[in-house]
Amino acid sequence: MTEGKKTIQMIIMVIGLTITAKFSGFFRDVLIGSNFGTSSEADAYFMALKITAMVFMSMGSAITTTMIPIIVRYLTKDDRDKAFRFANKIFTILVSIGIVFMSMGILFSNYYTKWIARGFYGEKLALAVTLTRIMFPILLCCMISYIFVSMLQSFGKFSITSILSIPYNFVLIIYLSFFAGKYGIEGLAFATVIGWITQFVIQIPYLYKKGYRINFILDFKDPDIKRFFKLIFPILLSTMVYNVNIIIDSSLASTLSEGKIAALTYAFIVYTAISSTTIYGISTVLFPKFAQNTSLKDYTKFQEQITSTIKVLCFLLIPLTVGLITLRTPIIKLAFQRGAFGEQGVIFTRIALTYYAIGMIGFGIQEVLNKCFFALQDTKTPMKFGIMSVTINIILNIILIKKMDLAGLALATSLATISNALFLYGALMKKIGKLDTGKILINFFKVLTASMVMAVFTYKTYKVFTLFVGMESFSFRLITIIGSVFVGILVYAVMVLILRVEEAKYIIENYLKKLIP
C-alpha cells in the first residue's frame, strides 16, 4: 500500500471515529437545549464554558502542536526513554503552572467574568461567576489530557485520541437525563469537570502499554524545554484566534436580548459538529507528515501536500457549507426544538448558523496552514496574522452588530476567519515558493458549481417531503433530513464526475472500483 493511500485511510478512520464522538456530543447538546433552552441560565453556563473550556482547549492544541515534533524527533532516533523523560518534564512544569493559574482564576473570577460578560447584571452575572469558578479546574485536566494526546499521536495512535470526548459526553448525558431536574445548572457545571477528568484518565492504560510512567522531573535547563516554551506562546496566540473571536461574539451578544448567547452557542455547536469533524481529521493526521517533510527539507513534496490538502478541503467543506445553509431550519428543529427550546430559539439559532457557515472553508484552510507554519518551525507568522484576525473581527463586530444584530456577530467571525486564511496562504507562498493556485481555484469553482446544483435538488426534495407528510414529529424530521441529504449527495456525486473533479476520480479509482467484484 502506498504512503498516500495509508494517509487517506488514516484520515478516513479518524474522521469516522470523530463522527462517532460528535454524535454523542450532539446528543449531549440536544439534552442541554431540552433542559435549559435559551434561558438566562443557559446564557450564564455557555458564557462560563467559553471563558474556561474553550480558552483552555486552545492551550491544549498549542501543547500538542509544540510537543509532537520534539517527541517525533526522539522516536525517529529510536530513543523512547528520552521522549518519555521530555514528556515528564513538560508534565511537571505545566501541572505546576496549572495549579497556580487555576487558583488565581478561581480567586479573581468575579473581576474578569464581569468584564467579559459585560451585558450581564445581578443574578445572571452572579450565576456566571459561580459557574466559572466551578469549571476553572478544567484548565488542569486540559493540560494533562493534551500532554497524553501528544505522546499517543506521536506514536501514530489516532484512534483513542479521536474518541476522547465520548466518556465526557457520556457523563453529561447521564447527568442531563437523570439529575438535571434536581441539581440544575450548577450540577451541570460539576458534571462538565468530571467529564474532563475522564478524558485524561482513559489515556493512561494506552500510554502504560507503550512503557510510559509518570515521573515528576523539574528541569528548566533542558534545551528542548527551552525550545518548547519559546515556541508555545506564539502558537498559543495563533491557535486561540478562532476561540477568541467566538468569546468576543459572546461578550457583545451579552448586550443583546436574553437568549442570544445561547443561540450563538447552539449555532456554533451545529457548525463545529459538521466542520471540525472533517477539518481536524485531516489536520491531525497530516501534521506529523508535514513535520517529517520539512525536517527532511523536502519542500517540493510539502508544496504538493498543501495543494492537495486545500483541494480536498474544498471538495468536502463547500458542499457541507451549502448543504448546512440549505437545511439549517430542519436541522435546528430536529436537534433542539423540544422542552425549553421554543420557536424563538429556532429563529435566533438559524440566523447565527447561516452566517457562521459562510466561514467554514476559511476555518479549514486556516487550520491546515497554521499547521504548515508550525511544521516549518515558524510560529511568529500565524501569531501575527492571528492578532490581525482578532482586530478585524472586533472592528467588524462593532460595525455589523448595529446593522445586523445577532447575524452581524456571526458574519464578522466568518469574514475574519476567511481573511486570516488568505493572509496565511500568501505568506506561505513567500516562504516555500508558489503553490498551484490555478489548480486550487479551478477545483474551487467546479465544486462550488456542483454544490449549488446540489442545493437546488436538496431543497426541492425537502419541500416534497413536507408537502406530502404534514407531520412535525422527531421521526418525520429525521426522515426528511436523511432523504434530502441522500438526494443531495447523489446529485453532488454526479455533478463532480461531470465536471471532472480530480478528487472524485481518485475516490472511484482507488476505493469504489475495489467494491465491484
Side-chain angles (χ1 to χ4, degrees):
M1 186 183 295
T2 65
E3 182 68 20
K5 287 185 180 179
K6 286 181 180 177
T7 301
I8 293 291
Q9 288 190 355
M10 184 68 75
I11 289 171
I12 292 170
M13 181 201 75
V14 171
I15 290 175
L17 292 172
T18 306
I19 288 172
T20 304
K22 289 290 182 183
F23 180 79
S24 67
F26 202 60
F27 185 50
R28 171 204 69 204
D29 295 325
V30 166
L31 291 174
I32 293 175
S34 177
N35 279 281
F36 302 104
T38 52
S39 63
S40 59
E41 282 189 329
D43 278 350
Y45 172 77
F46 286 128
M47 178 61 80
L49 192 65
K50 287 171 184 175
I51 291 171
T52 55
M54 186 169 280
V55 173
F56 302 156
M57 284 177 71
S58 298
M59 294 180 184
S61 180
I63 289 169
T64 57
T65 303
T66 313
M67 281 187 71
I68 286 174
I70 298 173
I71 295 174
V72 166
R73 191 179 76 238
Y74 283 127
L75 295 178
T76 302
K77 296 176 181 177
D78 202 25
D79 202 340
R80 187 176 294 198
D81 289 340
K82 281 190 177 180
F84 288 156
R85 187 170 176 81
F86 166 73
N88 276 323
K89 290 175 183 178
I90 293 296
F91 182 90
T92 304
I93 295 169
L94 290 186
V95 167
S96 301
I97 293 171
I99 291 170
V100 173
F101 275 90
M102 182 180 70
S103 303
M104 292 174 64
I106 293 171
L107 186 63
F108 296 106
S109 58
N110 184 53
Y111 299 99
Y112 59 78
T113 304
K114 187 187 298 183
W115 181 72
I116 296 172
R118 59 198 195 117
F120 285 11
Y121 301 98
E123 291 183 3
K124 192 173 183 179
L125 176 61
L127 179 59
V129 171
T130 299
L131 297 178
T132 301
R133 283 175 178 158
I134 293 170
M135 291 194 284
F136 218 90
I138 292 173
L139 170 61
L140 205 57
C141 300
C142 186
M143 286 180 167
I144 297 171
S145 183
Y146 280 93
I147 290 170
F148 291 170
V149 165
S150 300
M151 286 189 279
L152 288 172
Q153 289 188 357
S154 296
F155 279 109
K157 300 296 181 183
F158 296 101
S159 55
I160 180 63
T161 59
S162 300
I163 58 170
L164 287 181
S165 62
I166 291 180
Y168 165 81
N169 294 331
F170 182 73
V171 170
L172 267 67
I173 288 168
I174 293 296
Y175 173 79
L176 290 162
S177 299
F178 301 105
F179 304 105
K182 184 176 181 180
Y183 298 105
I185 203 74
E186 289 188 19
L188 180 60
F190 280 111
T192 302
V193 176
I194 294 168
W196 266 94
I197 292 170
T198 65
Q199 291 199 65
F200 72 79
V201 169
I202 66 164
Q203 296 182 74
I204 294 173
Y206 295 90
L207 287 169
Y208 194 88
K209 286 181 182 178
K210 289 292 180 184
Y212 174 71
R213 304 292 184 270
I214 295 174
N215 287 308
F216 291 94
I217 306 171
L218 193 62
D219 181 4
F220 290 100
K221 295 180 181 179
D222 185 331
D224 281 327
I225 296 296
K226 291 178 181 178
R227 183 173 189 77
F228 175 88
F229 283 102
K230 182 181 178 181
L231 293 174
I232 194 170
F233 292 112
I235 289 176
L236 178 59
L237 287 175
S238 56
T239 55
M240 283 180 69
V241 168
Y242 196 75
N243 288 340
V244 168
N245 284 338
I246 297 300
I247 291 170
I248 291 168
D249 288 354
S250 296
S251 178
L252 291 169
S254 71
T255 65
L256 302 176
S257 59
E258 183 178 304
K260 289 189 175 176
I261 289 178
L264 270 177
T265 304
Y266 291 127
F268 186 69
I269 286 166
V270 175
Y271 166 69
T272 53
I274 293 171
S275 63
S276 64
T277 301
T278 304
I279 294 165
Y280 292 134
I282 292 171
S283 64
T284 297
V285 174
L286 288 180
F287 178 56
K289 297 183 183 297
F290 287 163
Q292 186 178 35
N293 285 331
T294 54
S295 67
L296 296 172
K297 304 297 181 184
D298 191 352
Y299 290 127
T300 301
K301 190 172 182 181
F302 188 43
Q303 289 169 328
E304 291 172 358
Q305 276 184 327
I306 296 166
T307 299
S308 298
T309 303
I310 293 175
K311 286 170 63 187
V312 169
L313 285 172
C314 290
F315 181 75
L316 296 172
L317 295 182
I318 291 174
L320 280 175
T321 299
V322 174
L324 181 58
I325 293 173
T326 303
L327 296 175
R328 62 194 184 278
T329 301
I331 287 172
I332 292 166
K333 286 185 174 182
L334 174 72
F336 299 117
Q337 194 178 23
R338 62 186 58 80
F341 198 105
E343 188 62 34
Q344 190 66 54
V346 172
I347 294 169
F348 287 161
T349 306
R350 179 182 66 203
I351 292 168
L353 180 58
T354 302
Y355 290 98
Y356 271 145
I358 292 170
M360 190 183 295
I361 186 64
F363 179 39
I365 294 173
Q366 166 191 281
E367 287 300 306
V368 168
L369 295 184
N370 272 336
K371 294 290 174 69
C372 292
F373 279 103
F374 298 152
L376 289 163
Q377 308 280 305
D378 179 356
T379 58
K380 291 183 180 178
T381 300
M383 178 185 70
K384 177 177 69 176
F385 290 129
I387 293 169
M388 286 175 60
S389 175
V390 171
T391 305
I392 290 169
N393 186 47
I394 292 170
I395 293 169
L396 289 175
N397 267 331
I398 293 169
I399 295 170
L400 296 177
I401 194 174
K402 295 176 182 177
K403 297 180 179 181
M404 299 174 67
D405 196 72
L406 186 67
L409 297 176
L411 179 59
T413 296
S414 291
L415 294 176
T417 304
I418 292 169
S419 67
N420 192 34
L422 292 173
F423 291 148
L424 289 167
Y425 185 83
L428 188 62
M429 284 201 297
K430 286 183 180 179
K431 194 170 186 73
I432 65 169
K434 287 188 177 181
L435 302 171
D436 200 338
T437 306
K439 231 177 193 182
I440 292 170
L441 288 174
I442 290 169
N443 179 78
F444 176 87
F445 286 111
K446 282 183 178 180
V447 169
L448 182 61
T449 302
S451 299
M452 297 308 292
V453 175
M454 175 201 76
V456 173
F457 280 87
T458 302
Y459 184 73
K460 292 292 184 183
T461 303
Y462 169 69
K463 281 297 182 183
V464 168
F465 270 108
T466 56
L467 182 65
F468 286 99
V469 188
M471 296 170 61
E472 283 293 315
S473 66
F474 178 86
S475 301
F476 164 69
R477 289 172 177 170
L478 182 61
I479 292 168
T480 300
I481 290 172
I482 291 173
S484 302
V485 168
F486 181 72
V487 170
I489 290 171
L490 288 179
V491 172
Y492 180 70
V494 171
M495 286 303 301
V496 291
L497 288 173
I498 291 172
L499 295 170
R500 297 186 177 183
V501 176
E502 288 181 13
E503 286 68 28
K505 290 162 63 179
Y506 181 87
I507 290 169
I508 290 174
E509 290 172 5
N510 290 277
Y511 293 96
L512 295 186
K513 280 185 179 179
K514 293 180 181 180
L515 299 177
I516 301 173

